[in-house]
Amino acid sequence: PLLQGIVELDEKYLGGKPPFVEGVVNKRGKGTAKQSVLIAAERHGPVRAVPIASEKVSEMQPIVDRLLCKSAHLMSDGHRSYVSIGKQFAAHSHVNHSRREYSRGETHSNTAESFSSILERARIGVFHHMSPKHLKRYLNEFEFRWDNRVPVEEVGPDGKTKTVMRKIPVIDLIILMIMRCAGYALKRTRSWGLMDIAFN
């Protein structure tokens, strides 16, 4: 289903530090050569992550159109591409990270950034390297984990109520995974690679 309601957009650069070379200064942020990932997170809902070649409107617009309902209220940072894309949706609010503004009332992209941090921790502590060829498979796994959590209302020490996402039992995750695999097969190619086969 299309993402709707409040949907946060953010981009993530996946990859470790390049090897040190004397006299070479590696670019950071949007100038990096790392793989870019577009993240669209429905607040208190599912998330979608797609590898992208660049942060240009021409690259991101078709993906956003495919993932989001036009009635969605977009929230993002002040990236020019998001500002342009946001004009085609019901509403668009953004914060200005360059001025150290990370939230303004309900306007923020912290949910999408939270998913980004989970990806980064998994890359560092579990996978170490996510090849561009199979990156979408890694992203699908973390989308699945994110989407299958349970929102729980908790009262903090300050007396305020907040929503905390809790993991569901592992056995339930396995059952959900098996249900989604119905009609698919994973087969070897002649060169012993892997390919997905969908059956009608």
Side-chain angles (χ1 to χ4, degrees):
L2 297 176
L3 303 180
Q4 53 189 337
I6 296 176
V7 181
E8 301 174 17
L9 296 179
D10 194 28
E11 72 280 355
K12 168 71 178 168
Y13 302 97
L14 271 178
K17 292 182 179 179
F20 174 77
V21 178
E22 178 119 17
V24 175
V25 178
N26 295 294
K27 294 182 180 179
R28 301 182 63 189
K30 293 176 173 57
T32 184
K34 296 178 184 178
Q35 172 65 57
S36 300
V37 176
L38 175 64
I39 297 170
E42 185 179 305
R43 196 166 288 178
H44 306 306
V47 68
R48 299 292 174 261
V50 182
I52 53 176
S54 72
E55 293 79 39
K56 294 179 180 177
V57 175
S58 57
E59 175 73 19
M60 295 199 290
Q61 183 77 62
I63 297 170
V64 173
D65 289 343
R66 189 176 78 242
L67 298 178
L68 274 64
C69 179
K70 289 295 183 183
S71 63
H73 181 168
L74 301 190
M75 292 198 181
S76 68
D77 56 29
H79 194 298
R80 285 180 294 179
S81 294
Y82 297 143
V83 173
S84 177
I85 291 170
K87 294 175 183 176
Q88 302 176 34
F89 288 84
H92 177 221
S93 305
H94 60 87
V95 290
N96 192 336
H97 286 175
S98 63
R99 295 182 180 175
R100 298 186 180 277
E101 181 187 46
Y102 300 103
S103 67
R104 188 177 62 255
E106 290 297 310
T107 302
H108 61 78
S109 57
N110 294 342
T111 309
E113 289 174 6
S114 176
F115 183 79
S116 293
S117 68
I118 289 173
L119 279 179
E120 187 63 26
R121 287 198 297 272
R123 184 194 66 78
I124 294 170
V126 182
F127 299 112
H128 308 306
H129 174 70
M130 298 180 181
S131 69
K133 181 178 179 181
H134 297 292
L135 180 57
K136 187 53 185 163
R137 294 178 190 270
Y138 289 106
L139 297 177
N140 285 345
E141 175 183 341
F142 285 96
E143 287 175 8
F144 176 79
R145 292 187 190 194
W146 181 277
D147 293 353
N148 291 288
R149 301 176 303 158
V150 180
V152 177
E153 296 291 330
E154 289 188 354
V155 179
D158 57 356
K160 293 182 180 178
T161 302
K162 62 179 180 178
T163 303
V164 179
M165 304 302 285
R166 297 290 184 197
K167 295 184 290 186
I168 64 176
V170 173
I171 189 65
D172 292 339
L173 271 180
I174 293 172
I175 292 169
L176 284 167
M177 185 176 65
I178 291 172
M179 289 170 60
R180 291 191 182 192
C181 290
Y184 289 86
L186 199 60
K187 293 194 172 184
R188 292 281 184 186
T189 63
R190 290 183 179 180
S191 61
W192 287 94
L194 293 173
M195 62 178 176
D196 294 324
I197 303 292
F199 298 102
N200 295 327

